[in-house]
Amino acid sequence: MKFTIQRDQLMNGVQDVMKAISSRTTIPILSGMKMEATAEGIKLTGSDSDISIESFIPKEEDGIVYVEGIEPGSIVLHAKYVPDIVRKLPEQMVEIESDENFNVTVRSGNAEFHLNGQDAQEYPLLPKLHTENSFELPIDLLKDLIRQTAFAVSTSENRPILTGVNIKLEDGKIEFVATDSHRLASRKIPVNGEMKGFPYSNIVIPGKSLNELNKILEDSEDKIMISVTENQILFRTKHLYFLSRLLDGNYPETSRLIPEQSKTNVVIGTKELLNSIDRASLLAKEHRNNVVKLVTKESNQLEITSNSPEVGKVMEEVTADSIEGEELKISFSARYMMDALKAIESEKVSIQFTGAMRPFLIRPADEREEILQLILPVRTY
Amino acid sequence: MKFTIQRDQLMNGVQDVMKAISSRTTIPILSGMKMEATAEGIKLTGSDSDISIESFIPKEEDGIVYVEGIEPGSIVLHAKYVPDIVRKLPEQMVEIESDENFNVTVRSGNAEFHLNGQDAQEYPLLPKLHTENSFELPIDLLKDLIRQTAFAVSTSENRPILTGVNIKLEDGKIEFVATDSHRLASRKIPVNGEMKGFPYSNIVIPGKSLNELNKILEDSEDKIMISVTENQILFRTKHLYFLSRLLDGNYPETSRLIPEQSKTNVVIGTKELLNSIDRASLLAKEHRNNVVKLVTKESNQLEITSNSPEVGKVMEEVTADSIEGEELKISFSARYMMDALKAIESEKVSIQFTGAMRPFLIRPADEREEILQLILPVRTY
């Protein structure tokens, strides 16, 4: 294998596939990065067997030459050292060469790295998904869906299915739902007609996979192609191939958790409420629950308080746009509330309470987007 | 105690004194921050008994009012929560009030914090230094002196005196020296005549104190006043009072470590050499020694190499401006070399070697500044 490549393009590819490579893998060769040169360009692969990422650097694109002098072949490198080496190379042109003994030479300017590689034949082959069962989403929208839901997955392995995000295709809509059983985050978007008859209409993707995917994808209105099989999901853009396993098992039916009626309705500025909860939680940060109290007052005032006997207490009044229905005193986790409010981009949120003991709902007040955040209160009153 | 203060001014003061406050102090009250209101303004104090910092916020300066409605008094607050509270206050005006039971109220906009304070009478009094034995330095220059030497102090408590920076006043010059016995960093600057007869001409300041001071001081051509007693040193600017204990004991005489003659002299671009050492050290980063080799070659070439049997090796040739004297093969710590080169701002450095077993010297090639870095080689050849 031999080729000369632009350092910046190589760096981007390396950074993407590194997201899938773990030094703590039980399969030693997976701590490596596979590099494959073909007549079309260079393919980099990283995998931790849960997630696999391929990044492709084309020989030429839009009239710009990225790779030259390709002699096809492949090799596996110690992944750990690759990002630093590439980043610190002195020149923009990088020559990479491997011989039959898996010795790799990386040359740039007057610098020369001799690295011990491994046989690419020993690297597991990634499954090639049949991509008939595919649909497309704008990248920006997929990133929003992940950001607005994946934070709510469970971090405990007690119920492994809850560490994933449930994706459902139903009634011409696609819905992302995540819950750790103390709170729930969901968002629905309409999809176009192509999805009719899509065979995998209820899958669960590990939250970790989605978070890594979100880090790799750059904001863009371009489309991403999503293909699903019984146990894997593939996200594909022009030069990226991101494969994740799916979680086994049935995701709990969450729709019945959502109260249908409410007793107290509040509309309030998202940022005002977020900042006020943030301040109220300052003194209680280290406590496991980090509980704040909310009390409705006269004249559209919400009183937010918290109390940490050793340090002190915080009190604040925030003016709501409107408070309708029964008076309310309720306690909840400040962190859950802040996560939920951060997931909502609208200027105003609408909060529906059904008494101090029942879960409450947070939605964008303008309802332009079907985002729903649910939080279970903490019993203190 | 009661006053109303500008949040941004309070924040700056809080951040400065926090640098001296440790939550792991053995004297409980020192985990607090003392706040004192007088007719002149507000004084904040933090201390870990090694370092004490006072920051003063004047009532009024240059016609701008920073503090209003002062009712004198003092209190000690749980320091840990103060920076977050101040940073997140909703409005620029902050009212702070304490009562006779040491309850403190912090109000800003609609937010109100009630904090449990402690009696300021229990906070130790900082020693007031007699400031006759004082001299002045521009803040920028002091920051340079610290940056160029303090990194070389020892991190081991085997020889406590080496954890400090030695400051000597001699022959109309002030010299900063630090060594961990494997390398040495020093810088001398001329001082004006006022220092004649200064009684404390050889002191040792803990490296940690100087590093904290460097973080607090903002780049400025203003002067800083330095006062020394037998066991303490005080750095004083308009609104800052930074007191550190001195280290006890005699600092070793370092001048005889410095070879007087050299056998190989190299002049080379500082950045070129630094980048090349950086690359050569990439594969060896985790090894304790992180050793690179340097070999002089024909035509002003320096060959820099390193070898990590498991991973691979790195080779690079750098063109020097000149190489004079004997041929040389030498090995040394890449980290020490990089630290030394970073401390030298000149475009070119001059390196004087006296064979592969003797310490070598790195200086700015233009010798405009009396900076000297010394490194002991590692014996591998």
Side-chain angles (χ1 to χ4, degrees):
Chain A
M1 182 189 76
K2 188 173 175 180
F3 57 87
T4 304
I5 190 167
Q6 300 277 343
R7 184 188 53 202
D8 296 349
Q9 266 59 42
L10 179 60
M11 192 68 226
N12 288 342
V14 164
Q15 280 172 329
D16 285 349
V17 303
M18 284 303 289
K19 298 260 183 338
I21 301 175
S22 160
S23 55
R24 285 165 304 167
T25 170
T26 49
I27 307 165
I29 193 133
L30 290 187
S31 68
M33 178 185 296
K34 185 175 162 190
M35 189 175 264
E36 190 180 355
T38 63
E40 285 76 42
I42 308 304
K43 189 162 77 182
L44 306 174
T45 308
S47 175
D48 67 359
S49 72
D50 279 353
I51 303 176
S52 300
I53 303 176
E54 276 181 14
S55 177
F56 184 72
I57 303 145
K59 192 178 158 183
E60 194 181 326
E61 191 177 48
D62 302 333
I64 303 167
V65 174
Y66 292 133
V67 194
E68 284 178 317
I70 300 175
E71 295 176 13
S74 57
I75 192 81
V76 175
L77 293 168
H78 282 279
K80 189 169 145 187
Y81 299 98
V82 176
D84 263 354
I85 291 176
V86 176
R87 185 178 305 113
K88 295 189 171 175
L89 288 171
E91 305 283 342
Q92 173 63 13
M93 294 305 287
V94 184
E95 186 186 298
I96 300 181
E97 188 174 358
S98 68
D99 66 18
E100 65 279 10
N101 297 317
F102 314 121
N103 296 317
V104 184
T105 307
V106 179
R107 275 186 213 95
S108 178
N110 287 322
E112 205 172 288
F113 289 79
H114 298 274
L115 304 169
N116 307 328
Q118 285 173 275
D119 188 355
Q121 300 294 330
E122 291 177 18
Y123 198 88
L125 281 179
L126 300 193
K128 289 290 159 207
L129 293 206
H130 292 285
T131 52
E132 290 109 60
N133 299 323
S134 297
F135 61 98
E136 280 187 338
L137 282 181
I139 291 177
D140 279 350
L141 184 56
L142 175 64
K143 282 175 70 75
D144 278 350
L145 284 161
I146 296 172
R147 196 179 55 75
Q148 290 165 336
T149 57
F151 67 86
V153 300
S154 170
T155 53
S156 140
E157 286 292 333
N158 284 345
R159 286 181 70 190
I161 196 79
L162 295 188
T163 63
V165 176
N166 183 209
I167 298 177
K168 281 187 289 195
L169 296 165
E170 231 170 38
D171 308 329
K173 291 191 174 178
I174 184 167
E175 182 178 14
F176 278 48
V177 182
T179 179
D180 59 7
S181 77
H182 302 290
R183 48 139 164 213
L184 176 149
S186 83
R187 179 162 179 203
K188 255 185 217 169
I189 52 164
V191 279
N192 52 25
E194 294 168 36
M195 301 209 51
K196 247 185 174 168
F198 192 81
Y200 302 100
S201 62
N202 192 330
I203 59 172
V204 185
I205 308 176
K208 183 173 171 293
S209 299
L210 289 176
N211 285 326
E212 293 299 339
L213 177 63
N214 188 32
K215 281 184 213 156
I216 292 178
L217 293 176
E218 276 174 44
D219 283 323
S220 154
E221 290 171 10
D222 290 352
K223 294 283 175 73
I224 188 162
M225 171 80 80
I226 304 173
S227 312
V228 186
T229 66
E230 201 165 331
N231 49 23
Q232 298 202 289
I233 184 164
L234 171 66
F235 297 90
R236 208 150 45 92
T237 65
K238 211 163 170 196
H239 299 311
L240 188 80
Y241 180 103
F242 185 105
L243 187 75
S244 167
R245 73 180 172 100
L246 297 177
L247 291 177
D248 262 347
N250 290 318
Y251 200 82
E253 183 50 58
T254 53
S255 57
R256 65 195 150 80
L257 294 176
I258 296 160
E260 285 176 5
Q261 293 183 326
S262 63
K263 293 185 180 165
T264 314
N265 294 317
V266 174
V267 175
I268 189 167
T270 313
K271 199 147 185 201
E272 284 79 356
L273 183 59
L274 177 62
N275 290 342
S276 152
I277 303 277
D278 189 9
R279 280 188 287 271
S281 74
L282 280 177
L283 302 186
K285 271 222 167 117
E286 283 129 59
H287 295 272
R288 203 164 49 103
N289 285 320
N290 193 1
V291 171
V292 298
K293 291 184 192 181
L294 179 152
V295 179
T296 57
K297 296 270 181 178
E298 301 278 298
S299 330
N300 288 339
Q301 297 294 303
L302 285 183
E303 184 190 78
I304 314 279
T305 55
S306 84
N307 194 355
S308 309
E310 284 165 34
V311 195
K313 57 187 180 212
V314 193
M315 235 197 296
E316 179 156 353
E317 294 210 340
V318 205
T319 307
D321 290 32
S322 66
I323 302 178
E324 285 165 9
E326 295 179 5
E327 285 183 9
L328 179 77
K329 291 182 178 186
I330 191 168
S331 297
F332 49 82
S333 152
R335 187 165 70 82
Y336 288 174
M337 187 60 150
M338 286 162 66
D339 284 347
L341 291 171
K342 281 179 195 163
I344 297 179
E345 274 159 16
S346 315
E347 209 181 304
K348 307 273 181 191
V349 287
S350 153
I351 312 181
Q352 273 114 49
F353 298 95
T354 322
M357 301 303 185
R358 303 264 297 136
F360 58 93
L361 300 178
I362 310 152
R363 291 192 177 96
D366 54 17
E367 293 190 50
R368 266 182 315 187
E369 291 170 345
E370 285 190 76
I371 301 175
L372 183 132
Q373 304 281 340
L374 173 148
I375 296 173
L376 265 72
V378 175
R379 296 176 187 221
T380 57
Y381 280 107
Chain B
M1 182 190 75
K2 189 172 176 180
F3 57 89
T4 303
I5 190 167
Q6 299 278 342
R7 183 187 55 201
D8 296 350
Q9 265 58 43
L10 179 61
M11 192 68 227
N12 288 343
V14 164
Q15 280 173 327
D16 284 350
V17 303
M18 283 305 287
K19 298 259 182 339
I21 301 175
S22 160
S23 55
R24 285 165 304 167
T25 171
T26 49
I27 307 165
I29 194 135
L30 289 187
S31 68
M33 178 185 297
K34 185 174 162 190
M35 189 175 263
E36 190 179 354
T38 63
E40 286 76 42
I42 308 303
K43 189 162 78 183
L44 305 174
T45 307
S47 175
D48 67 358
S49 72
D50 278 353
I51 302 175
S52 301
I53 303 175
E54 276 181 12
S55 177
F56 184 72
I57 303 147
K59 193 178 158 183
E60 194 181 324
E61 190 176 50
D62 301 334
I64 304 167
V65 174
Y66 292 133
V67 193
E68 285 177 317
I70 300 176
E71 293 176 13
S74 58
I75 193 82
V76 175
L77 292 169
H78 281 280
K80 190 169 146 187
Y81 300 96
V82 176
D84 264 354
I85 291 175
V86 175
R87 186 178 306 112
K88 295 188 172 176
L89 289 172
E91 306 282 343
Q92 174 62 14
M93 293 306 286
V94 184
E95 186 186 298
I96 300 182
E97 186 175 359
S98 69
D99 67 17
E100 65 279 10
N101 298 316
F102 314 122
N103 296 317
V104 184
T105 306
V106 179
R107 275 186 213 96
S108 176
N110 287 322
E112 204 172 288
F113 289 79
H114 298 273
L115 304 169
N116 307 329
Q118 286 173 275
D119 187 355
Q121 299 294 329
E122 291 177 17
Y123 198 88
L125 281 179
L126 299 192
K128 290 289 159 209
L129 293 205
H130 292 284
T131 51
E132 290 110 60
N133 299 322
S134 298
F135 61 98
E136 279 187 339
L137 283 181
I139 291 178
D140 279 351
L141 184 56
L142 175 64
K143 282 175 72 75
D144 278 349
L145 284 161
I146 296 172
R147 195 180 55 76
Q148 290 166 335
T149 57
F151 67 86
V153 300
S154 171
T155 53
S156 139
E157 286 292 333
N158 284 344
R159 286 181 70 190
I161 195 81
L162 295 188
T163 63
V165 176
N166 182 209
I167 298 178
K168 281 188 289 195
L169 296 166
E170 230 170 40
D171 307 331
K173 292 190 174 178
I174 184 167
E175 183 178 13
F176 278 48
V177 182
T179 179
D180 60 6
S181 77
H182 302 291
R183 49 142 164 210
L184 176 148
S186 83
R187 181 162 178 202
K188 256 186 214 169
I189 52 163
V191 279
N192 51 27
E194 295 168 36
M195 303 207 50
K196 245 183 175 167
F198 192 81
Y200 301 101
S201 62
N202 192 331
I203 58 171
V204 185
I205 307 177
K208 184 173 171 292
S209 300
L210 289 176
N211 285 327
E212 294 299 341
L213 177 63
N214 189 31
K215 282 184 212 156
I216 293 178
L217 293 176
E218 276 174 44
D219 284 323
S220 154
E221 290 171 10
D222 290 352
K223 295 284 176 75
I224 188 163
M225 172 79 80
I226 304 173
S227 313
V228 186
T229 66
E230 201 165 332
N231 50 22
Q232 297 201 290
I233 185 164
L234 170 67
F235 297 88
R236 207 149 45 92
T237 65
K238 210 164 170 196
H239 299 310
L240 189 79
Y241 180 103
F242 185 104
L243 187 75
S244 167
R245 73 179 172 101
L246 297 177
L247 290 177
D248 260 347
N250 289 319
Y251 200 83
E253 182 50 59
T254 53
S255 57
R256 66 196 150 78
L257 295 175
I258 296 159
E260 286 177 2
Q261 292 183 326
S262 64
K263 294 183 179 166
T264 314
N265 293 315
V266 174
V267 175
I268 190 168
T270 313
K271 198 147 186 203
E272 285 80 354
L273 183 59
L274 177 63
N275 289 343
S276 153
I277 303 275
D278 189 9
R279 281 188 287 272
S281 74
L282 279 178
L283 303 186
K285 268 214 171 125
E286 283 130 58
H287 295 271
R288 201 164 50 102
N289 285 319
N290 193 1
V291 170
V292 299
K293 290 183 190 181
L294 179 151
V295 178
T296 56
K297 297 271 183 179
E298 300 277 298
S299 327
N300 288 340
Q301 296 296 302
L302 284 184
E303 185 190 79
I304 314 278
T305 57
S306 83
N307 195 355
S308 310
E310 284 166 34
V311 195
K313 57 187 180 212
V314 192
M315 235 196 298
E316 179 155 353
E317 293 210 341
V318 205
T319 307
D321 290 33
S322 67
I323 302 179
E324 286 166 8
E326 295 180 5
E327 285 182 9
L328 177 78
K329 291 181 177 184
I330 191 168
S331 298
F332 48 82
S333 152
R335 187 165 70 82
Y336 288 176
M337 188 59 150
M338 286 162 64
D339 285 348
L341 292 170
K342 282 179 194 161
I344 295 179
E345 275 159 16
S346 315
E347 209 181 303
K348 307 272 181 190
V349 287
S350 153
I351 312 181
Q352 273 114 47
F353 298 96
T354 322
M357 301 306 185
R358 302 265 295 137
F360 59 93
L361 301 178
I362 309 154
R363 290 192 176 97
D366 54 17
E367 293 188 51
R368 267 184 315 187
E369 290 170 345
E370 284 190 77
I371 300 175
L372 183 131
Q373 303 282 339
L374 174 147
I375 296 173
L376 264 73
V378 175
R379 298 179 185 217
T380 58
Y381 280 108

